[in-house]
Amino acid sequence: MAFFACKEERTEAPNPFLEEWTTPYGVPPFDRIRPEHFLPAFERGMSLHNAEIDAIVAQPDEPTFENTIAAYDAAGGMLQRTALIFEMLASSNATPEMQAVEEEAMPLLAAHADGIRMNERLFGRVRAVYDRREALPLSPEQLRLTERLYRQFVRSGALLDEAGKRRLKEINGELSRLSVRFGNNLLRANDAFRLELTADQLEGLPTVVREAARERAREAELGDKYYLFTLHKPSMLPFLSYAKDRELRERLYRAYLDRCDGGDDDNTALVNDYIRLRTEKAHLLGYDSYADYVTADQMARTPAAVYALLDEIWTPALDRAGEELAAMEELLRADHPGATFEPWDWWYYTEKVRRRDYALDDEVLRPYFSLENVQGGIFFLANRLYGITFRPIAAPLYDPDCLVYEVLDEDESHLGVLYFDYYVREGKSGGAWCGNFTEQYYEGDRRVAPVVGVVTNYARPTRSTPTLLNLDETKTLFHEFGHALHNLFRKVRYRGLADVEGDFVELPSQVMENWATEPEMLEQYALHYRTNDKMPAALMRKIRRSAQFNQGFEMTELLAAALSDMDIHAQKTYEPFDVDAFEREALYTKRGLIPQIEPRYRYPYFSHIFDGGYSAGYYFYIWAQVLDKDAYEAFRSSGDIFDRRIARAFRERVLSRGGEADGMTLYRDFRGQEPDKVPLLRACGFWKEPLPEPDSAAVQRPAGPKLLTPPANLSGRGDRRDK
């Protein structure tokens, strides 16, 4: 890898960010990019951006859309290109050199952004166009861009007095430094924990799980005698699901729960700093709380609308989780008489109940979900729905294990380039994500195609077995691929209209998960990795029958994290607080969360909301579930889940349009109606059909749909983007 080139080569090599790229399809020259190239590139990019802004401000002519709004939108291209690549590589290859660059660069970039958004003369020109927007001959997209840009300036402090601007700049600088520290602490904590076991401690673990653990031990140079388990979910969750030794399950899960909650990598003080600074920032900008500040720019518009949705689902989810717990407690008592059910027991006894009630074992499914076959299934689905194809190409890689494809549209024209980075490695952030190395944009009338990356943390193949996914990991790849399609299909003329609201951005990803377990899809891609036999129809039926299994736990765990995120950011005043006590009060005391369930993320390692762009926004996933289940209903009810006509409408009215309109407008353009909550509640098993009214003409009519009913201004304009 270029990142590990010798020092002499690093100092002599020219900086590729300061040159024209001659790589295939304009992909970044990863084989030449090194950590020391980024700071000079950022400095050059900021200098060029400032010069472009100065030219706009010095323009003697009256402010117009073209000489102000469009000129601003086109500025900063080099800086944006450098920042996109850095963000992706800093997450997937967080070497000490990259971490050092991040610590130095992030405050500089925050200060640069503040300097532009608080430039009074620039804002004066933007405001002049905004004030006359209704009288100008603007297209709907130009009007949208003008209004969005004005709002971004205001939300960035353009209307503050000098003292307010100065303080806001200080806050943003401090927040940028906190983000780097929080993420680096978490990365170190994840990489530091190792559960080293011997063969006699592996009772209950399937062969494929043992082989993966032995391979990890070999890579860590522990030798063939040991088996290594880590806090990365492809390692941790199979252990929690199958390891018979309850004390070892507890040891692993407690290490996961206690990350960054004390010790050398403590994040609890940083959480306090975050909330103090974010609350002050919200007050400076005229909002009661940081949650008010965030949601004002989303589809939800207010924290009250978010709480209304979360609270409506919370009670049936928690009730269902209680029923699931009762079924598992019987099994626990049989194994450990007198024992109390604990959080680290949930996965183990879930698998026991799944085998008992559905004759289904996650490990029975794995042989049918080899990574290669799942990727092939996703390519098949994209071709059936949209006619696109994927061609392997030779291009520079930032890691030797990456795969790269050219994406061809239905007419075989170039649509973009797609990288896959699948495997766990040291220095790689946990979880899965999709982002751009370069974004789609226009040069004149020519669309410049994007370069997109999908990153996961799957277990590496062993000497005898390819990477085999469980059902949840399979859905994760469908999910991230949905984000990739959103990026690849985008055809937006103005960069400032590329992004959508945060509570809309998960729709394109989550809707893809619906296809993963459809029999018509499983027929295509669920092939046994050894025999190439199709998954038996009986096994497919078991998957479908168990679709609502454990939904109480999964939804409660997700809702708990979303509610704790909203609660900590909805505080109207800041007082120093105990992070753990606040979480317990919010979830267990106030809302009755049962002690056997922990929230999906606890504050000290809640990366989404502290260094991942989802602050006061983890609810995005649940809000978008309403949209995705309702959107998929269009395919399901048509009788053809591969309906090309519906897929074309989804592409043209949602996926290709970016933020050219607010999310609700885009959704209504596709669906022809407001989103309905019933498909989500029904999919989770929480929906009960209402009883007909007696002696009424309505007795024979089904109940009308319950809509996602937000505040009256939900369909107003809004902006936001995904991580």
Side-chain angles (χ1 to χ4, degrees), residues 197-199 201-211 213 216 227 229 235-245 248-249 348 363:
L197 303 178
T198 53
Q201 297 173 292
L202 305 181
E203 185 177 359
L205 293 175
T207 300
V208 66
V209 177
R210 296 179 182 221
E211 288 181 351
R216 280 190 293 273
Y227 299 79
F229 294 89
S235 175
M236 180 183 76
L237 292 183
F239 190 87
L240 293 178
S241 298
Y242 296 103
K244 187 174 182 180
D245 191 318
L248 289 176
R249 295 201 310 269
Y348 183 76
E363 294 306 310

Side-chain angles (χ1 to χ4, degrees), residues 212 243 267 290-291 332 389 494 521 597 605 669:
N267 274 339
Y290 194 74
L332 173 72
T389 53
Y494 300 107
M521 270 299 298
I597 297 180
Y605 57 85
D669 286 349

Side-chain angles (χ1 to χ4, degrees), residues 470-486:
N470 64 23
L471 187 55
D472 184 64
E473 291 169 330
T474 298
K475 290 180 179 179
T476 293
L477 192 52
F478 275 77
H479 177 107
E480 299 305 336
F481 187 77
H483 283 308
L485 289 180
H486 199 191

Side-chain angles (χ1 to χ4, degrees), residues 153-158 160 168 280-287 293:
F153 270 82
V154 172
R155 287 175 59 81
S156 299
L160 295 177
L168 184 56
E280 184 181 356
K281 178 175 179 174
H283 292 169
L284 272 175
L285 295 169
Y287 294 89
Y293 169 74

Side-chain angles (χ1 to χ4, degrees), residues 224-377:
D224 290 340
K225 177 182 176 182
Y226 290 97
Y227 299 79
L228 178 61
F229 294 89
T230 71
L231 300 182
H232 294 286
K233 289 193 174 180
S235 175
M236 180 183 76
L237 292 183
F239 190 87
L240 293 178
S241 298
Y242 296 103
K244 187 174 182 180
D245 191 318
R246 194 172 182 232
E247 291 184 1
L248 289 176
R249 295 201 310 269
E250 177 182 1
R251 181 177 164 191
L252 182 61
Y253 193 53
R254 280 195 183 278
Y256 176 80
L257 292 177
D258 293 340
R259 288 175 297 166
C260 302
D261 194 352
D264 294 338
D265 299 317
D266 186 21
N267 274 339
T268 56
L270 302 189
V271 172
N272 263 271
D273 290 339
Y274 267 115
I275 303 307
R276 172 177 56 82
L277 292 167
R278 286 174 173 172
T279 303
E280 184 181 356
K281 178 175 179 174
H283 292 169
L284 272 175
L285 295 169
Y287 294 89
D288 289 341
S289 70
Y290 194 74
D292 285 286
Y293 169 74
V294 170
T295 55
D297 215 31
Q298 309 300 330
M299 293 176 71
R301 286 293 182 263
T302 66
V306 175
Y307 279 123
L309 176 63
L310 301 183
D311 290 343
E312 182 173 354
I313 305 174
W314 175 259
T315 298
L318 190 59
D319 288 346
R320 175 62 60 83
E323 295 169 3
E324 294 163 357
L325 173 62
M328 292 187 292
E329 282 180 321
E330 296 179 15
L331 300 177
L332 173 72
R333 284 193 292 271
D335 290 343
H336 304 279
T340 300
F341 199 99
E342 300 289 354
W344 47 86
D345 293 319
W346 200 287
W347 286 268
Y348 183 76
Y349 287 100
T350 289
E351 286 306 313
K352 282 199 166 191
V353 172
R354 194 198 311 266
R355 289 194 295 270
R356 183 192 69 187
D357 294 353
Y358 298 96
L360 186 64
D361 184 336
D362 220 15
E363 294 306 310
V364 172
L365 299 178
R366 280 186 189 271
Y368 295 96
F369 293 137
S370 72
L371 179 54
E372 181 180 3
N373 284 348
V374 174
Q375 178 184 294

